[in-house]
Amino acid sequence: MQVLAEIGVLFPNQEALAVFEKHGVKADGQKVFLTEDQVMKAIAQAPAQFTIHARNSERDVRIGDGVPVLAPGYGAPFIVDLDVGKRPATMDDYHKLAKLAHALPNQDLSGHLMAEPADIPPKTVHLQMLHAHIVHSDKPFIGSTAGAAGAGHTMELASILFGRVGERPVTIGLINSLSPLGYSCEMLEALLVYAHHRQPVIVAALSMAGSTGPITLAGVLGQQNAELLAGITLTQLINPGTPVVYGSASTNLDMRTGGLVIGSPEFSMLTGAHADLCRYYGLPSRSGGALTDSHSPDVQAGYESMFSLMTTFNSGIDIVLHAAGILSSFLSFSYEKFVLDDEICGLVRHWLQGFPVDEETLAFPIIAQVGPGGNYLMEMHTLGRCRTEFWQPAVSSRDGIESWMAAGRPDATHRARQRWQKLVAEHQDPPLDPTITRQLQVLVDKQ
Amino acid sequence: MQVLAEIGVLFPNQEALAVFEKHGVKADGQKVFLTEDQVMKAIAQAPAQFTIHARNSERDVRIGDGVPVLAPGYGAPFIVDLDVGKRPATMDDYHKLAKLAHALPNQDLSGHLMAEPADIPPKTVHLQMLHAHIVHSDKPFIGSTAGAAGAGHTMELASILFGRVGERPVTIGLINSLSPLGYSCEMLEALLVYAHHRQPVIVAALSMAGSTGPITLAGVLGQQNAELLAGITLTQLINPGTPVVYGSASTNLDMRTGGLVIGSPEFSMLTGAHADLCRYYGLPSRSGGALTDSHSPDVQAGYESMFSLMTTFNSGIDIVLHAAGILSSFLSFSYEKFVLDDEICGLVRHWLQGFPVDEETLAFPIIAQVGPGGNYLMEMHTLGRCRTEFWQPAVSSRDGIESWMAAGRPDATHRARQRWQKLVAEHQDPPLDPTITRQLQVLVDKQ
């Protein structure tokens, strides 16, 4: 609050500044100074929970009710594949990734900007990506926040699918702050469009302890809290009640390489503290994911991704962007890791359910019948449950060590490749009204 | 309690049966029936906390005070190496592993039986392994429970190192039950020796839901609780106050392959429930580890190991056997995974510490000085802390993606190999009195 009142936050956008001015917020040029009273009154108007509607209502997702909603990785410029390593993403990749986002059972939102295609002009690439999600999946899609154009096109496409946009949330956009203590003009343009249409936004910081934030994690947390509260306040001044999620992807630099790290304990410490702040403010939270600094789906990618996913779930985060597919400290996306991460999302979700304890499962009569030194394998209690009692992986292997040797020592990455190729090959777009299909295509083609 | 009173537990050992009989416990042949009163009175005598002393007192470990104590993998018959895959372990391997157990910073106990050498006669292999731990490390060592001989030699070696054994815990032995509802004669022999010497034992079950236990997890938990309480009761009837840890490594079968699985959500669910029972009985707990069903240190090994390690820490387990090195559902041990797992143990431990929030770390004056749009990289607040503020990995890579491509796309496994080879090459046995060294050697040689 002291940062907001005394240091201020930069809003380089005339419309945003005009909104603040209209509500009596003190400003100095593009720098805005908010009082605790102004902030707390504004954020009190944002809902603690909301639903994002999908074109298939069975796919609707509820944000903020204690069950984490998962979405694929976001914003990687590169693909890492098993053959050549790092390469630029293409629109062909994007179609495949959108199909996988639809097929993978633990991704609740189909995502956006998973890996940005480099073979489409930057001015229209957001439209191509949005269109891919809308036709390949009936899950809720994340919208574009590529300035006024990206946000505007998101609203146009959504209005074709859902009719007038504004009645209820039908997408969600990611608004990043520009640390320290500012926003880019492009992001503010998008924020304005989303808020005018009463569509949800995640307002999120990616501060780096040691460069765009203080090196101490408490300092990062305090600074980003000021940034985020200022942005969230703006959404409520524009359109009170607009759903907004308080987000963090902040972390530390590795001081030896100068690079951002996301598989670090520091990222996960910030996630936990961030989630506490969200609960304090009564706002839904976004952080975490299956995060790694490795550049391939190797053992490091495995343990770092599971670590950050577990700390995310433990922290009680509401939206988990980057829940699957990300490598290289956000810089690359992997098909193989996409299916592997979706599997570990399922594993963790299953584990969280626990197991039932009742007379039937305590099985005293069976224990008495089998007796000391006996075996349960052929008991009806076993046979009747043997296909359903336990979680079954789709990619992880449980073959014996002799089979593994005989098969030439395959690893999980190669099974993951088989799985994503099969899922892409078997993909069928979910049914969509032909008129809507045509209208969507017309909008995309005219750009 | 109903299982104990009505179904009974097998104790195929005359001395054990005589102890039960002396204390008025009902028996039918080798089957012992305990009442709730007999059990609760016995376990109330076991300490809730105890210290295992090392020959270097700085290495002493406290069991049961809320901080998990970590120990390497235990009991693998095979080594998996990067060149040939699965092969039998040798005594040469064992010396290297014992040196690594000493070097790795997050292993608190030096371990035992990590990978059992196949090139030493079974009758004396326990002595060779014990000797390797004692000379290569001054951490506390786990003792042998290979029948009366293994346990007896453990006490002999310990008495050379520590003088008369019995005053205080100087080792700990792993006593496994034989599910369902029994113990082997060999394990009971060892239990008797440890209890007579008042040395700690872990009494643990490895029931398999679907074969040696009911297919339902609640049933496994109930059955193994009966087994374990019976074994723990025996320790207290022999020598009240003997430290004893209540342990579980129980899990499910994969019903497709018929194999045991340890990277499963079911293993971790049982760990959590088991830890709750330990707290109920006021006994220290053992479960978990860095567990995987994969046969190589691949991405699956990474995510499964981190998953089970996180659930173990979350459950509040006191002793974590298998905290590093295990592959293949307990069947193999890997040098590379040993150092990788030790690193993730350190990562999780660091994360659990959290970060300080105070005036210094909140850094308001620095935030004010840098201001909106500034950079912290060259601030004294940053420079003065840049070597110490963040956790630093020894194996995980944080190189950039271009460096990774230029280096030929190395993975973490290859860095792990470099690290263990370096640690073994640099190993020096910690100093030990020459008379003790000679006495130990005489005992080993005379067998």
Side-chain angles (χ1 to χ4, degrees):
Chain A
M1 290 301 169
Q2 200 183 349
V3 173
L4 281 166
E6 299 175 20
I7 305 175
V9 179
L10 285 173
F11 282 87
N13 177 291
Q14 286 312 312
E15 190 181 340
L17 291 169
V19 171
F20 280 124
E21 191 183 357
K22 192 178 123 196
H23 288 84
V25 175
K26 183 178 138 193
D28 174 9
Q30 297 181 334
K31 212 185 285 178
V32 165
F33 302 88
L34 286 154
T35 65
E36 180 162 2
D37 185 56
Q38 287 167 332
V39 169
M40 296 307 278
K41 272 192 184 142
I43 64 174
Q45 300 181 79
Q49 299 187 353
F50 61 93
T51 297
I52 307 176
H53 296 271
R55 67 172 166 100
N56 172 354
S57 62
E58 288 174 18
R59 304 280 202 177
D60 292 355
V61 296
R62 185 86 186 144
I63 309 291
D65 70 351
V67 179
V69 166
L70 308 183
Y74 187 104
F78 305 116
I79 295 281
V80 164
D81 71 29
L82 297 184
D83 299 322
V84 305
K86 182 201 113 174
R87 61 174 176 77
T90 64
M91 196 62 215
D92 179 60
D93 288 317
Y94 205 85
H95 281 290
K96 289 185 188 136
L97 294 178
K99 290 171 183 177
L100 287 173
H102 177 65
L104 291 172
N106 292 294
Q107 304 307 301
D108 304 311
L109 297 165
S110 72
H112 184 68
L113 242 180
M114 295 179 286
E116 189 166 1
D119 58 347
I120 303 283
K123 268 189 74 172
T124 55
V125 67
H126 60 267
L127 253 176
Q128 302 275 350
M129 290 188 282
L130 288 165
H131 187 241
H133 286 291
I134 291 171
V135 298
H136 296 322
S137 182
D138 56 4
K139 292 180 183 179
F141 60 94
I142 297 178
S144 168
T145 48
H153 286 140
T154 303
M155 300 307 146
E156 284 187 68
L157 289 165
S159 69
I160 295 172
L161 269 181
F162 295 99
R164 201 171 74 84
V165 172
E167 310 279 314
R168 53 182 195 161
V170 295
T171 184
I172 185 165
L174 176 64
I175 305 293
N176 280 312
S177 63
L178 192 60
S179 302
L181 300 171
Y183 286 85
S184 70
C185 183
E186 186 190 37
M187 280 292 166
L188 292 172
E189 285 175 12
L191 181 150
L192 288 158
V193 171
Y194 276 77
H196 284 308
H197 288 81
R198 212 178 173 79
Q199 291 304 304
V201 285
I202 302 166
V203 179
L206 200 176
S207 308
M208 293 178 278
S211 66
T212 60
I215 194 168
T216 46
L217 298 186
V220 168
L221 201 68
Q223 176 184 285
Q224 79 173 26
N225 190 38
E227 278 168 31
L228 297 175
L229 292 177
I232 292 168
T233 297
L234 177 60
T235 64
Q236 302 306 307
L237 296 182
I238 297 166
N239 197 343
T242 297
V244 59
V245 176
Y246 178 108
S248 171
S250 294
T251 188
N252 60 308
L253 291 191
D254 182 276
M255 299 313 273
R256 289 187 296 198
T257 64
L260 166 78
V261 286
I262 61 178
S264 64
E266 287 79 14
F267 188 109
S268 287
M269 286 181 195
L270 282 171
T271 296
H274 172 77
D276 287 342
L277 280 175
C278 295
R279 281 185 284 272
Y280 173 75
Y281 291 119
L283 293 168
S285 57
R286 173 245 147 173
S287 187
L291 306 177
T292 183
D293 302 307
S294 179
H295 304 295
S296 68
D298 67 349
V299 60
Q300 179 181 340
Y303 60 70
E304 288 184 343
S305 298
M306 181 57 93
F307 171 67
S308 50
L309 200 64
M310 287 290 282
T311 59
T312 304
F313 273 83
N314 280 341
S315 300
I317 291 292
D318 296 303
I319 299 189
V320 187
L321 203 62
H322 306 295
I326 280 292
L327 284 172
S328 311
S329 321
F330 294 136
L331 281 182
S332 66
F333 203 103
S334 153
Y335 288 100
E336 287 77 23
K337 189 159 182 283
F338 203 7
V339 303
L340 288 160
D341 287 344
D342 190 75
E343 173 140 316
I344 70 175
C345 289
L347 189 161
V348 175
R349 281 181 160 174
H350 184 84
W351 166 69
L352 283 169
Q353 292 170 15
F355 59 88
V357 180
D358 54 31
E359 208 169 310
E360 174 69 16
T361 56
L362 280 167
F364 180 81
I366 321 297
I367 296 173
Q369 185 181 316
V370 169
N375 196 297
Y376 293 81
L377 207 51
M378 300 312 287
E379 293 296 315
M380 277 312 297
H381 186 259
T382 305
L383 295 173
R385 294 161 180 263
C386 73
R387 288 177 192 279
T388 53
E389 192 66 14
F390 305 133
W391 180 78
Q392 284 289 356
V395 193
S396 304
S397 171
R398 283 145 169 214
D399 287 343
I401 194 164
E402 302 300 342
S403 315
W404 172 73
M405 288 295 287
R409 300 193 263 152
D411 72 13
T413 310
H414 291 87
R415 288 189 301 279
R417 170 142 75 169
Q418 289 167 0
R419 177 157 157 81
W420 76 254
Q421 288 176 339
K422 184 164 183 285
L423 289 172
V424 168
E426 290 173 352
H427 173 83
Q428 290 194 309
D429 287 346
L432 187 58
D433 178 275
T435 308
I436 289 179
T437 304
R438 199 172 53 247
Q439 288 174 330
L440 293 169
Q441 193 65 55
V442 166
L443 176 59
V444 172
D445 290 345
K446 87 174 178 203
Q447 297 305 318
Chain B
M1 291 301 170
Q2 199 184 350
V3 173
L4 281 167
E6 299 175 19
I7 306 176
V9 179
L10 285 173
F11 283 86
N13 177 291
Q14 286 312 310
E15 190 183 340
L17 291 169
V19 171
F20 281 123
E21 191 183 357
K22 191 180 123 194
H23 288 86
V25 175
K26 184 179 137 192
D28 174 9
Q30 297 183 335
K31 214 185 284 178
V32 165
F33 302 89
L34 286 154
T35 66
E36 180 162 2
D37 185 54
Q38 287 168 333
V39 170
M40 296 307 278
K41 273 193 184 143
I43 64 174
Q45 299 180 81
Q49 300 187 353
F50 60 92
T51 297
I52 307 176
H53 296 271
R55 67 172 165 99
N56 173 355
S57 62
E58 290 173 16
R59 305 281 202 176
D60 290 357
V61 297
R62 185 85 185 146
I63 308 292
D65 70 351
V67 179
V69 166
L70 308 183
Y74 187 104
F78 305 117
I79 295 281
V80 165
D81 71 30
L82 298 184
D83 299 322
V84 305
K86 181 201 116 176
R87 61 175 177 78
T90 64
M91 196 62 216
D92 178 60
D93 287 317
Y94 205 85
H95 281 290
K96 288 186 188 137
L97 294 178
K99 290 172 182 175
L100 287 173
H102 177 64
L104 292 172
N106 291 293
Q107 303 307 301
D108 304 311
L109 297 165
S110 72
H112 184 67
L113 242 181
M114 295 180 286
E116 191 167 358
D119 57 347
I120 304 283
K123 268 188 72 171
T124 55
V125 67
H126 60 266
L127 253 176
Q128 302 275 348
M129 290 187 282
L130 288 165
H131 188 242
H133 285 291
I134 291 170
V135 298
H136 296 322
S137 182
D138 57 3
K139 293 181 181 178
F141 60 95
I142 297 178
S144 167
T145 48
H153 287 141
T154 303
M155 300 307 144
E156 285 187 68
L157 289 165
S159 69
I160 295 172
L161 268 181
F162 295 99
R164 204 171 72 84
V165 173
E167 310 278 314
R168 52 182 196 163
V170 294
T171 185
I172 184 165
L174 176 63
I175 304 293
N176 281 310
S177 64
L178 192 61
S179 301
L181 300 171
Y183 287 84
S184 70
C185 182
E186 186 190 39
M187 281 291 167
L188 292 172
E189 286 174 12
L191 181 149
L192 288 158
V193 172
Y194 276 77
H196 284 308
H197 288 82
R198 212 181 173 78
Q199 292 304 303
V201 285
I202 303 166
V203 179
L206 200 174
S207 307
M208 294 179 278
S211 67
T212 59
I215 194 168
T216 47
L217 299 187
V220 168
L221 201 68
Q223 176 184 285
Q224 79 172 25
N225 190 37
E227 276 168 31
L228 298 175
L229 291 178
I232 292 169
T233 297
L234 177 59
T235 64
Q236 301 306 307
L237 296 184
I238 296 166
N239 198 343
T242 297
V244 59
V245 175
Y246 178 108
S248 171
S250 294
T251 187
N252 61 309
L253 290 191
D254 182 276
M255 299 313 272
R256 290 187 296 199
T257 63
L260 166 78
V261 286
I262 62 177
S264 65
E266 286 79 15
F267 188 109
S268 287
M269 287 181 196
L270 282 171
T271 296
H274 171 77
D276 287 342
L277 280 176
C278 295
R279 280 185 285 272
Y280 173 75
Y281 291 119
L283 293 169
S285 57
R286 173 244 148 172
S287 187
L291 306 177
T292 182
D293 302 307
S294 178
H295 304 295
S296 68
D298 68 349
V299 59
Q300 178 181 340
Y303 60 70
E304 288 185 344
S305 298
M306 181 58 93
F307 171 67
S308 50
L309 200 63
M310 287 290 282
T311 59
T312 304
F313 273 83
N314 281 341
S315 299
I317 290 292
D318 296 301
I319 298 189
V320 187
L321 203 60
H322 306 295
I326 280 290
L327 284 172
S328 311
S329 320
F330 294 136
L331 281 182
S332 66
F333 202 103
S334 153
Y335 288 100
E336 287 76 23
K337 189 158 183 283
F338 203 7
V339 302
L340 289 160
D341 287 344
D342 189 75
E343 174 140 315
I344 70 175
C345 290
L347 189 160
V348 174
R349 282 181 160 174
H350 184 85
W351 165 70
L352 283 169
Q353 292 170 14
F355 60 87
V357 180
D358 54 32
E359 207 170 309
E360 174 70 16
T361 56
L362 281 166
F364 180 82
I366 322 296
I367 296 171
Q369 186 181 317
V370 169
N375 195 297
Y376 292 81
L377 207 50
M378 301 311 289
E379 294 295 315
M380 275 313 297
H381 186 258
T382 305
L383 296 173
R385 293 161 181 262
C386 72
R387 287 176 192 280
T388 53
E389 193 67 14
F390 305 133
W391 180 77
Q392 285 288 355
V395 192
S396 305
S397 172
R398 283 146 168 211
D399 287 344
I401 193 164
E402 302 300 344
S403 315
W404 173 72
M405 287 297 285
R409 300 193 265 151
D411 73 13
T413 310
H414 291 87
R415 289 189 302 278
R417 172 144 73 171
Q418 289 167 359
R419 177 156 157 81
W420 77 253
Q421 288 177 338
K422 184 165 183 284
L423 288 173
V424 169
E426 290 173 352
H427 173 82
Q428 291 194 307
D429 287 346
L432 186 59
D433 177 274
T435 309
I436 289 178
T437 304
R438 199 171 52 247
Q439 288 174 329
L440 293 169
Q441 194 64 55
V442 166
L443 176 59
V444 172
D445 290 344
K446 86 174 177 200
Q447 298 304 319

